Amino acid sequence: GEGMLNVDKQLNYGRSMILNYAKKIECQSVLDLGAGQGVDLDIFKKHHPLIKSYAVENWSSNMEFLEKSGHFVFTTNYFFGK
């Protein structure tokens, strides 16, 4: 209706850019800040099977999923102040 805001929830950095980058470089490890469920990390693992993948994520269900997918998971879920 009128006055409704349409929100595009697609990623704006493009998985194709991640894929092209993963294909071009040689690396031993990769770090994803705000990893979600690790889709970008999985792209790197596909092209570099021996890579060590590190994820920083705060949502517990995503953290569980990442760990089950073989990624090393860290959180920054710290609270400051009162």
Side-chain angles (χ1 to χ4, degrees):
E2 193 173 322
M4 296 293 290
L5 177 65
N6 291 322
V7 177
D8 180 1
K9 294 184 179 181
Q10 296 296 313
L11 296 175
N12 60 8
Y13 62 87
R15 290 249 153 74
S16 61
M17 291 175 67
I18 300 286
L19 175 60
N20 288 336
Y21 189 67
K23 288 179 180 178
K24 289 180 185 177
I25 65 167
E26 291 297 322
C27 56
Q28 296 177 344
S29 62
V30 63
L31 169 66
D32 189 353
L33 303 174
Q37 291 192 343
V39 176
D40 295 336
L41 293 172
D42 292 339
I43 289 171
F44 271 87
K45 276 203 174 269
K46 180 178 179 185
H47 293 282
H48 307 280
L50 301 177
I51 197 170
K52 290 187 179 177
S53 53
Y54 300 93
V56 176
E57 178 60 46
N58 292 331
W59 195 24
S60 60
S61 63
N62 281 346
M63 292 172 70
E64 247 181 78
F65 190 87
L66 287 159
E67 287 173 348
K68 287 179 183 175
S69 298
H71 307 294
F72 296 98
V73 182
F74 301 90
T75 184
T76 60
N77 202 4
Y78 300 103
F79 299 96
F80 299 97
K82 297 180 182 179

